[in-house]
């Protein structure tokens, strides 16, 4: 198969693992930003192929996990209204709000539907003019172009019964927030490959320089991640600092110009609250004035909601790489995928869910020399 | 696809004997116990299934069974869409029930068939499903001996719901059940995974892949019979339906209180199916199958069992995928394609496609 099996080749994986062992002379802490990378690391057991000195901490790269509690509550409120068709990607449906999740809202009569693309939601709106169709626009920069396009088309085609509930966040401000925190332990980053496929990676250069951290744009298959780690460790060992691109088959330095164009047309940078982390200035996207009519929060009058997190959920410290899931007292007992306390346990990309699914009986990592 | 919008069929040589032009859609009266229902049963169901017992028209079927042990199972089918590449709800209903019986090593014999029909369902659609049931029952060598028909208001059903029960006879002395799984047993799989689930997903989501993925829906009783007649000491069988291979392994490991080790690189998944799974962010180990089983056999029987399976049309790609080893403290461990080990857990809830 093209582009999959080759990047899961066990012999090449062992070779990369040996190389990483060879060049590592002292401990390093690396953070992978994207939830898809966390998922791959735990699923394929990549950290078992690393020397004991390399520690991988998991960043806030799961847009599902960082969507604030009150936004879930707003989504549920909108979805529960008569005449509303609420569309979302699959994993948002299980994220717990203050009282329940969107699946429960569906069971209680809300018209909640899973879609694969915001344009499917737009089509639903066109086909059902008597309904209000709302799309839960969650994601990092990766999903922003499609969401922007849906709103752009809605405006220019006069589909007035369509709106989006926006929860877009940006990666670079999150990285800066982590790096500027006094507890920060992260010394190198694996940047999110698909975010960079859209945005390019020039915006990481000032970050690498300012905080003196190597940043390697990395893909999602085992070999991508191992190679990304190898390049990052090499920089650290050699005392170099810079932005490198491991994911060359998908990422160019200036990203995808057309995608960035549509994002800039429809969205503007706003401050956003990150679940478990707090408010980060200029860290998200919101609709521009001329597209504000498609903002579901405004249309349904839910802008003023606020909510309290569960006191037992430490997903904030996990998202910042300060703690690991199995260090949480609730992990595996009061907090499980069936009854999650926080989003990191619900989303399949969340660190807690990944640990639970693949690791729950193994608290310690063993060093594996290939 | 709304089952009430199903297109007309033009691929049947046999004309539907029910006067469709009079009542082209299912009405509440078709479940009412009166003339219309009687006509439906006589002209459509009885005519299609051609069963001596069914034709007696009695409240229950009476059969003579000479064996000591019988296997008995029940199942309901609510699949949407009703028709998908490689099958339909009718074929699924027959093969699903037959396979449940086969997993005890039983020879499936008799099926009951209950329809819950939604008012407004085109009779042509029902006829198509009935023909499919007739064909599947013929292939699986089972007789439909009793049935029931109900009709619910429009909007209260999904076109067609089917409930079945099945009776099979055990013609051997083995106890084929999870309790019989032994440390050291090898685990055989008869073919590639995830076809059924992805065939359904493709239709449901309107995804068009270059090659059409077809469901692997098939009756497995004959394959099981070949193993038993070939002298293989089968300890346990399980057909892989909802939840896929991973769920079946977890269930058996928990029930038998053993632990299981699987090698992911030995598990066959067809390239187009794997691609479809990747696009949607699904793991093939958790996707539904309808023509796949795992067999737990003694290591000494491994070669013979593989030879028998590979000689059967439903086992050409049979292979060993793992072993019962009782070494780990978790039910199921898997070695990933790049060589690291991890837990293969049960899913909680349904597998949801990932965002990005």
């Amino acid at each position: 198969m093209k582009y999959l099996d080759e990047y899961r080749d066990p012999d090449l994986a062992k070779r990369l693992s040996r190389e990483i062992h060879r060049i590592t002379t002292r401990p390093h802490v690396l953070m992978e930003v994207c939830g898809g990378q966390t998922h791959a690391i735990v699923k394929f057991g990549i950290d078992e192929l690393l020397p004991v000195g390399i520690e991988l901490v998991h960043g806030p790269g799961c847009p599902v996990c960082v969507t604030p509690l009150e936004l879930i509550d707003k989504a549920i409120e909108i979805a529960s209204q008569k005449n509303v068709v609420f569309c979302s990607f699959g994993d948002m449906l299980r994220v717990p709000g203050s009282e329940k999740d969107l699946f429960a809202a569906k069971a209680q009569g809300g018209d909640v539907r899973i879609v694969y693309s915001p344009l499917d939601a737009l089509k639903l709106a066109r086909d059902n003019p008597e309904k209000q169709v709302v799309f839960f626009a969650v994601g990092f920069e990766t999903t922003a172009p499609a969401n922007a396009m849906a709103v752009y088309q809605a405006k220019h085609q006069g589909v007035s019964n369509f709106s989006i509930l926006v929860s877009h966040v940006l990666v670079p401000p999150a990285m800066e927030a982590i790096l500027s925190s006094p507890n920060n332990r992260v010394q190198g980053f694996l940047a999110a490959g698909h975010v960079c496929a859209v945005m390019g990676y020039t915006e990481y250069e000032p970050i690498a320089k300012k905080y003196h951290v190597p940043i390697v744009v990395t893909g999602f298959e085992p070999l991508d991640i191992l190679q990304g780690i190898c390049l990052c460790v090499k920089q650290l060992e050699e005392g170099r600092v810079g932005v490198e691109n491991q994911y060359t088959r998908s990422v160019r330095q200036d990203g995808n110009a057309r995608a960035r164009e549509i994002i800039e047309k429809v969205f503007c940078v706003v401050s956003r609250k990150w679940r478990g982390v707090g408010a980060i200035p200029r860290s998200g996207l919101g609709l521009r004035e001329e597209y504000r009519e498609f903002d579901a929060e405004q249309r349904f009058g839910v802008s003023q909601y606020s909510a309290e997190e569960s006191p037992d959920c430490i997903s904030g410290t996990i998202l910042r790489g300060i703690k690991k899931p199995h260090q949480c007292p609730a992990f595996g007992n009061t907090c499980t995928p069936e009854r999650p306390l926080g989003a990191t346990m619900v989303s399949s990309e969340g660190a807690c869910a990944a640990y639970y699914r693949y690791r729950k009986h193994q608290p310690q990592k063993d060093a594996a020399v290939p | 696809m709304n089952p009430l919008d199903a297109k007309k069929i033009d691929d049947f040589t046999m004309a539907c004997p029910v006067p469709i032009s009079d009542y082209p859609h299912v009405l509440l009266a078709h479940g009412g116990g009166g003339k219309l229902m009687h006509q439906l049963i006589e002209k459509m169901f009885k005519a299609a299934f051609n069963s001596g017992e069914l034709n007696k028209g009695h409240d229950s079927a009476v059969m003579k069974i000479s064996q000591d042990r019988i296997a008995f199972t029940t199942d309901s089918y609510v699949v949407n869409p009703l028709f998908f590449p490689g099958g339909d709800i009718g074929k699924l209903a027959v093969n699903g029930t037959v396979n449940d019986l086969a997993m005890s090593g039983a020879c499936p014999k008799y099926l009951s068939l209950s329809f819950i029909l939604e008012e407004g369902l085109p009779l042509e659609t029902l006829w198509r499903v009935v023909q499919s049931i007739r064909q599947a029952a013929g292939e699986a060598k089972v007789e439909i001996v009793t049935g029931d028909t109900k009709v619910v208001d429009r909007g209260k059903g999904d076109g067609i719901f089917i409930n079945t029960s099945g009776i099979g006879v055990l013609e051997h002395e083995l106890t084929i059940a999870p309790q019989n799984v032994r440390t050291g047993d090898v685990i055989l799989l008869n073919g590639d995974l995830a076809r059924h689930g992805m065939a359904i997903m493709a239709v449901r989501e309107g995804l068009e892949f270059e090659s059409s993925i077809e469901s692997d829906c098939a009756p497995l009783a004959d394959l099981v019979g070949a193993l038993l007649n070939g002298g293989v000491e089968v300890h346990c069988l399980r057909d892989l339906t909802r939840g896929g291979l991973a769920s079946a392994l977890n269930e058996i490991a928990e029930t038998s209180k053993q632990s299981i080790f699987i090698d992911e690189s030995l598990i066959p998944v067809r390239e187009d199916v794997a691609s479809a799974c990747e696009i949607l962010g699904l793991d093939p180990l958790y996707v539904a199958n309808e023509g796949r089983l795992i067999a737990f056999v003694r290591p000494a029987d491994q070669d013979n069992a593989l030879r028998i399976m590979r000689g059967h049309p439903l086992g050409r790609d049979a292979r060993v995928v793992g072993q019962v080893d009782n070494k780990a403290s978790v039910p199921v461990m898997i070695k990933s394609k790049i060589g690291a080990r991890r837990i293969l857990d049960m899913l909680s809830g349904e597998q949801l496609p990932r965002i990005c």
Side-chain angles (χ1 to χ4, degrees), chain A residues 220-266:
Chain A
F220 299 85
E221 296 303 325
L223 291 191
D224 290 319
I225 296 172
L226 283 165
Q227 192 176 37
I229 292 170
C230 193
L231 290 171
C232 201
V233 169
K234 232 172 182 209
Q235 284 198 40
L236 288 166
E237 290 282 334
E238 291 169 13
R240 287 182 293 120
V241 155
V243 179
E244 276 184 87
N245 181 10
Q246 177 281 326
Y247 200 23
T248 49
R249 66 185 183 282
S250 292
V251 177
R252 291 198 303 258
Q253 190 177 31
D254 56 353
N256 184 317
R258 297 293 293 274
R260 288 207 323 276
E261 213 177 278
I262 191 75
I263 294 176
E264 266 155 57
K265 220 183 207 107
V266 174

Coordinates of all heavy atoms in Angstrom, one line a residue, chain A residues 220-266:
Chain A
F220 N 2.8 11.2 11.1 CA 2.0 10.5 12.0 C 2.2 9.0 12.0 O 1.7 8.3 12.8 CB 0.5 10.7 11.7 CG 0.2 12.2 11.8 CD1 0.4 13.1 10.8 CD2 -0.3 12.6 13.0 CE1 0.1 14.4 11.0 CE2 -0.6 14.0 13.2 CZ -0.3 14.9 12.2
E221 N 3.0 8.5 11.0 CA 3.3 7.1 11.0 C 4.5 6.8 11.9 O 5.3 7.7 12.2 CB 3.5 6.6 9.6 CG 2.3 6.7 8.7 CD 1.1 6.0 9.2 OE1 1.3 4.9 9.8 OE2 0.0 6.5 9.0
P222 N 4.6 5.5 12.4 CA 5.8 5.3 13.3 C 7.1 5.7 12.8 O 7.9 6.3 13.5 CB 5.7 3.7 13.3 CG 4.3 3.4 13.1 CD 3.8 4.4 12.1
L223 N 7.4 5.5 11.5 CA 8.7 6.0 11.0 C 8.8 7.5 11.0 O 9.9 8.0 11.3 CB 9.0 5.4 9.6 CG 9.2 3.9 9.4 CD1 9.6 3.6 8.0 CD2 10.1 3.4 10.4
D224 N 7.7 8.2 10.7 CA 7.8 9.6 10.8 C 8.1 10.1 12.2 O 9.0 11.0 12.3 CB 6.4 10.2 10.5 CG 6.0 10.1 9.0 OD1 6.8 10.2 8.1 OD2 4.8 9.8 8.8
I225 N 7.5 9.5 13.1 CA 7.7 10.0 14.5 C 9.1 9.6 15.0 O 9.8 10.5 15.6 CB 6.6 9.4 15.4 CG1 5.2 9.9 15.0 CG2 6.9 9.7 16.9 CD1 4.1 9.3 15.7
L226 N 9.6 8.4 14.6 CA 10.9 8.1 15.0 C 11.9 9.0 14.4 O 12.9 9.4 15.0 CB 11.2 6.6 14.7 CG 10.6 5.6 15.6 CD1 10.6 4.2 15.0 CD2 11.3 5.6 16.9
Q227 N 11.7 9.3 13.1 CA 12.6 10.2 12.4 C 12.6 11.6 13.0 O 13.6 12.2 13.1 CB 12.3 10.2 10.9 CG 13.4 10.8 10.1 CD 13.1 10.8 8.6 OE1 12.0 10.9 8.2 NE2 14.2 10.6 7.8
G228 N 11.4 12.0 13.3 CA 11.2 13.4 13.9 C 12.0 13.4 15.2 O 12.7 14.4 15.5
I229 N 11.8 12.4 16.0 CA 12.5 12.3 17.3 C 14.0 12.3 17.1 O 14.8 13.1 17.8 CB 12.1 11.1 18.1 CG1 10.7 11.2 18.6 CG2 13.0 10.9 19.3 CD1 10.1 9.9 19.1
C230 N 14.5 11.6 16.1 CA 15.9 11.5 15.8 C 16.5 12.9 15.4 O 17.5 13.3 15.9 CB 16.1 10.5 14.6 SG 17.8 10.0 14.4
L231 N 15.8 13.6 14.6 CA 16.2 14.9 14.1 C 16.3 15.9 15.3 O 17.2 16.7 15.4 CB 15.3 15.4 13.0 CG 15.4 14.7 11.7 CD1 14.3 15.2 10.7 CD2 16.8 14.9 11.0
C232 N 15.2 15.8 16.1 CA 15.1 16.7 17.3 C 16.3 16.4 18.3 O 17.0 17.3 18.8 CB 13.8 16.5 18.0 SG 13.3 17.9 18.9
V233 N 16.5 15.1 18.6 CA 17.6 14.8 19.5 C 18.9 15.2 19.0 O 19.8 15.6 19.7 CB 17.5 13.2 19.8 CG1 18.7 12.8 20.6 CG2 16.3 12.9 20.6
K234 N 19.1 15.0 17.7 CA 20.3 15.4 17.0 C 20.6 16.9 17.3 O 21.8 17.2 17.7 CB 20.2 15.1 15.5 CG 21.3 14.3 15.0 CD 21.1 13.9 13.6 CE 22.4 13.1 13.3 NZ 22.9 13.0 12.0
Q235 N 19.6 17.7 17.1 CA 19.8 19.1 17.3 C 20.2 19.4 18.8 O 21.1 20.1 19.1 CB 18.5 19.9 17.0 CG 18.2 20.1 15.6 CD 17.2 21.2 15.3 OE1 17.3 22.3 16.0 NE2 16.3 21.0 14.4
L236 N 19.5 18.7 19.7 CA 19.8 18.9 21.1 C 21.2 18.5 21.5 O 21.9 19.2 22.2 CB 18.8 18.2 22.0 CG 17.3 18.8 22.0 CD1 16.3 17.8 22.6 CD2 17.3 20.1 22.8
E237 N 21.6 17.3 20.9 CA 22.9 16.8 21.2 C 24.0 17.7 20.7 O 25.1 17.9 21.2 CB 23.1 15.4 20.7 CG 22.2 14.3 21.4 CD 22.9 13.9 22.7 OE1 24.1 14.0 22.9 OE2 22.1 13.5 23.7
E238 N 23.7 18.3 19.5 CA 24.8 19.1 18.8 C 24.7 20.5 19.2 O 25.4 21.4 18.7 CB 24.6 18.9 17.3 CG 25.0 17.5 16.8 CD 24.6 17.3 15.3 OE1 24.2 18.3 14.6 OE2 24.6 16.1 14.9
G239 N 23.7 20.9 20.1 CA 23.6 22.3 20.5 C 23.0 23.2 19.5 O 23.2 24.4 19.5
R240 N 22.4 22.6 18.4 CA 21.8 23.5 17.4 C 20.4 23.8 17.7 O 19.8 23.1 18.5 CB 21.8 22.7 16.0 CG 23.1 22.6 15.4 CD 23.0 21.9 14.0 NE 22.6 20.5 14.1 CZ 21.5 20.0 13.6 NH1 20.7 20.8 12.9 NH2 21.2 18.7 13.7
V241 N 19.8 24.8 17.2 CA 18.4 25.1 17.4 C 17.8 25.6 16.1 O 18.3 26.5 15.5 CB 18.2 26.2 18.5 CG1 16.9 26.9 18.3 CG2 18.3 25.6 19.8
G242 N 16.7 25.0 15.6 CA 16.1 25.5 14.4 C 14.8 24.7 14.1 O 14.4 23.8 14.8
V243 N 14.2 25.1 13.0 CA 13.0 24.4 12.6 C 13.3 23.5 11.4 O 13.9 23.9 10.4 CB 11.9 25.4 12.2 CG1 10.6 24.7 11.7 CG2 11.6 26.4 13.3
E244 N 13.0 22.2 11.5 CA 13.3 21.3 10.5 C 12.0 20.6 10.0 O 11.0 20.5 10.8 CB 14.2 20.1 10.9 CG 15.7 20.5 10.9 CD 16.5 19.3 11.3 OE1 16.9 18.5 10.4 OE2 16.9 19.2 12.5
N245 N 12.0 20.1 8.8 CA 10.8 19.5 8.3 C 11.0 18.0 8.0 O 11.7 17.6 7.1 CB 10.3 20.2 6.9 CG 9.1 19.6 6.4 OD1 8.4 18.8 7.0 ND2 8.7 20.0 5.2
Q246 N 10.4 17.1 8.8 CA 10.6 15.7 8.6 C 9.5 15.2 7.6 O 9.7 14.3 6.8 CB 10.4 15.0 9.9 CG 10.4 13.4 9.8 CD 9.1 12.8 9.4 OE1 8.0 13.3 9.7 NE2 9.2 11.7 8.6
Y247 N 8.3 15.9 7.6 CA 7.1 15.4 6.9 C 7.1 16.0 5.5 O 6.1 16.6 5.0 CB 5.9 15.9 7.7 CG 4.6 15.1 7.4 CD1 4.6 13.8 6.9 CD2 3.4 15.7 7.8 CE1 3.4 13.2 6.7 CE2 2.2 15.0 7.6 CZ 2.2 13.8 7.0 OH 1.0 13.1 6.8
T248 N 8.3 15.9 4.8 CA 8.4 16.6 3.5 C 7.4 16.1 2.5 O 7.1 16.9 1.5 CB 9.8 16.4 2.9 OG1 10.1 15.0 3.0 CG2 10.8 17.1 3.7
R249 N 6.8 14.9 2.6 CA 5.9 14.5 1.6 C 4.6 15.2 1.7 O 3.8 15.2 0.7 CB 5.7 13.0 1.6 CG 5.0 12.4 2.9 CD 5.0 10.9 2.8 NE 4.3 10.3 3.9 CZ 4.7 10.1 5.1 NH1 6.0 10.6 5.4 NH2 4.0 9.6 6.1
S250 N 4.3 15.9 2.8 CA 3.0 16.6 2.9 C 3.2 18.1 3.2 O 2.2 18.8 3.0 CB 2.2 16.0 4.0 OG 1.8 14.7 3.7
V251 N 4.3 18.5 3.7 CA 4.5 19.9 4.2 C 5.5 20.7 3.4 O 6.6 20.2 3.2 CB 4.9 19.8 5.7 CG1 5.1 21.3 6.2 CG2 3.8 19.1 6.5
R252 N 5.1 21.9 3.0 CA 6.0 22.8 2.4 C 6.2 24.0 3.4 O 5.3 24.3 4.2 CB 5.5 23.3 1.1 CG 5.4 22.3 0.0 CD 5.3 23.0 -1.4 NE 4.1 23.8 -1.4 CZ 3.0 23.5 -2.0 NH1 2.9 22.4 -2.6 NH2 1.9 24.3 -2.0
Q253 N 7.3 24.7 3.2 CA 7.6 25.8 4.2 C 6.5 26.8 4.2 O 6.1 27.3 5.3 CB 8.9 26.4 3.8 CG 9.3 27.4 4.9 CD 10.7 28.0 4.6 OE1 11.0 28.3 3.5 NE2 11.4 28.3 5.7
D254 N 5.9 27.1 3.1 CA 4.8 28.1 3.1 C 3.4 27.5 3.2 O 2.4 28.2 3.0 CB 4.9 29.1 2.0 CG 5.0 28.4 0.6 OD1 5.0 27.2 0.7 OD2 5.0 29.1 -0.4
G255 N 3.3 26.2 3.4 CA 2.1 25.5 3.5 C 1.2 25.6 2.3 O 1.7 25.5 1.2
N256 N -0.1 25.7 2.5 CA -1.0 25.7 1.4 C -1.7 27.1 1.3 O -2.5 27.5 2.1 CB -2.1 24.6 1.6 CG -3.1 24.5 0.5 OD1 -3.6 25.5 -0.1 ND2 -3.4 23.3 0.2
A257 N -1.2 27.9 0.3 CA -1.6 29.3 0.2 C -3.1 29.5 0.0 O -3.7 30.3 0.6 CB -0.8 29.9 -1.0
R258 N -3.7 28.6 -0.8 CA -5.2 28.8 -1.0 C -5.9 28.5 0.3 O -6.9 29.2 0.6 CB -5.7 27.8 -2.1 CG -5.1 28.0 -3.4 CD -5.5 29.3 -4.1 NE -6.9 29.3 -4.4 CZ -7.4 28.8 -5.5 NH1 -6.7 28.3 -6.4 NH2 -8.7 28.9 -5.7
A259 N -5.5 27.5 1.1 CA -6.1 27.2 2.3 C -6.0 28.4 3.3 O -7.0 28.8 3.9 CB -5.6 26.0 2.9
R260 N -4.8 29.0 3.4 CA -4.6 30.1 4.3 C -5.4 31.3 3.9 O -5.9 32.1 4.7 CB -3.1 30.5 4.3 CG -2.2 29.4 5.1 CD -1.0 30.0 5.7 NE -0.4 31.0 4.9 CZ 0.5 30.8 3.9 NH1 0.8 29.6 3.6 NH2 1.0 31.8 3.2
E261 N -5.5 31.5 2.6 CA -6.3 32.6 2.0 C -7.8 32.5 2.5 O -8.3 33.5 2.9 CB -6.3 32.4 0.5 CG -6.3 33.7 -0.3 CD -6.2 33.4 -1.8 OE1 -5.1 33.1 -2.2 OE2 -7.3 33.3 -2.4
I262 N -8.4 31.4 2.4 CA -9.8 31.3 2.8 C -10.0 31.4 4.3 O -10.9 32.0 4.8 CB -10.4 30.0 2.3 CG1 -12.0 30.0 2.4 CG2 -9.9 28.7 2.9 CD1 -12.7 30.9 1.4
I263 N -9.0 30.9 5.1 CA -9.0 31.1 6.5 C -9.0 32.6 6.8 O -9.8 33.1 7.6 CB -7.8 30.4 7.2 CG1 -7.9 28.9 7.1 CG2 -7.8 30.8 8.7 CD1 -6.7 28.2 7.7
E264 N -8.1 33.3 6.2 CA -7.9 34.8 6.5 C -9.2 35.6 6.0 O -9.5 36.6 6.6 CB -6.7 35.3 5.8 CG -5.5 35.3 6.7 CD -4.2 35.2 5.9 OE1 -4.0 36.2 5.1 OE2 -3.4 34.3 6.2
K265 N -9.8 35.1 5.0 CA -11.0 35.8 4.5 C -12.2 35.7 5.5 O -12.9 36.7 5.7 CB -11.5 35.1 3.2 CG -11.9 36.0 2.2 CD -12.4 35.3 0.9 CE -12.3 36.1 -0.3 NZ -11.3 35.8 -1.2
V266 N -12.3 34.5 6.1 CA -13.5 34.3 6.9 C -13.2 34.5 8.4 O -14.1 34.9 9.2 CB -14.0 32.9 6.6 CG1 -15.2 32.5 7.6 CG2 -14.5 32.7 5.2

